[in-house]
Amino acid sequence: MAAVTKISNICVYCGSSPGTNPRFIEAAKDFGKILAENKINLVYGGGSFGLMGAVATSVLDHGGTVTGIIPESLVARERALKTVQEMVVTNHMHERKQLMFDRSDAFVALPGGVGTLEELVEQLTWAQLKHHRKPIILCNTDSFWTPLLETFERMKSSGFVYNSEVLDNLICDDVSEILPMIRRKMTAAAAEPAKP
């Protein structure tokens, strides 16, 4: 499994609601602008509400491109964003998640709820099982992910994480740090010798 060294598409997991902290929406908009300015396509859950809508709309507002991937059952409920360049409607959530994985070079988690957490943990699990080497970043806006990080540390210290480097160097505090972190991870992965 060769490491990718160029970032063309980044999958962003985040809330379909805005949350209670205005910084969450600001961070989503800021990251959307960064993606557009760096000509990186956003892959996301396809909705127009909350942080999902904010990051996608910001990419579009700054001249970038967006791929939305949404299950048919959520098209109306989450109001699929009709202005994206590509909207893929899947039969179910499993198909959606597989397509988001297939079409992305890296994964970023902004604040969100149970769905965001589930998608993030699935990617971490796949990385731990060595199913992929794609970078995973948690943007810890206003310490949102700190309790989860403490849980990860408890898992590691309790002996439940056998491939603990997957949980190392995951965190940044500001969206401006995300792309540099992804590039460093890609460079490091490309430099590693191929394993049988």
Side-chain angles (χ1 to χ4, degrees):
M1 151 179 40
V4 175
T5 55
K6 180 179 184 296
I7 313 170
S8 300
N9 302 278
I10 289 181
C11 178
V12 174
Y13 301 130
C14 57
S16 59
S17 68
T20 58
N21 184 339
R23 277 291 300 132
F24 298 159
I25 286 284
E26 289 172 25
K29 290 178 178 177
D30 290 347
F31 190 52
K33 181 181 179 191
I34 289 168
L35 289 174
E37 290 174 344
N38 285 272
K39 298 185 177 3
I40 296 170
N41 182 61
L42 168 68
V43 177
Y44 87 117
S48 61
F49 294 143
L51 272 63
M52 282 204 307
V55 68
T57 301
S58 179
V59 172
L60 295 170
D61 287 348
H62 292 93
T65 60
V66 176
T67 298
I69 303 179
I70 191 167
E72 190 172 10
S73 62
L74 294 181
V75 168
R77 190 163 77 185
E78 293 189 354
R79 287 196 196 157
L81 189 60
K82 296 179 180 175
T83 52
V84 302
Q85 285 86 354
E86 181 183 22
M87 181 63 70
V88 180
V89 179
T90 65
N91 293 317
H92 48 72
M93 289 291 286
H94 294 296
E95 183 183 1
R96 173 207 221 177
K97 291 193 296 179
Q98 184 64 53
L99 280 174
M100 291 173 86
F101 173 81
D102 292 342
R103 289 180 172 231
S104 301
D105 304 314
F107 306 94
V108 172
L110 300 178
V114 174
T116 301
L117 179 62
E118 186 264 343
E119 291 168 322
L120 165 66
V121 170
E122 182 172 66
Q123 292 308 331
L124 290 170
T125 302
W126 289 2
Q128 181 177 254
L129 295 172
K130 301 190 182 302
H131 290 333
H132 76 83
R133 298 167 69 194
K134 299 178 182 184
I136 303 165
I137 306 292
L138 283 77
C139 189
N140 200 23
T141 306
D142 277 1
S143 302
F144 179 82
W145 292 114
T146 298
L148 178 64
L149 301 175
E150 291 168 353
T151 299
F152 286 164
E153 287 303 314
R154 192 172 309 113
M155 290 173 179
K156 287 163 69 173
S157 65
S158 299
F160 290 112
V161 180
Y162 62 87
N163 185 9
S164 63
E165 67 266 17
V166 168
L167 298 180
D168 296 336
N169 305 312
L170 283 176
I171 299 300
C172 67
D173 293 322
D174 189 89
V175 293
S176 64
E177 302 167 30
I178 294 173
L179 292 189
M181 283 186 71
I182 290 174
R183 290 187 176 112
R184 285 195 298 273
K185 283 175 172 269
M186 286 182 159
T187 299
E192 288 177 7
K195 296 177 182 173

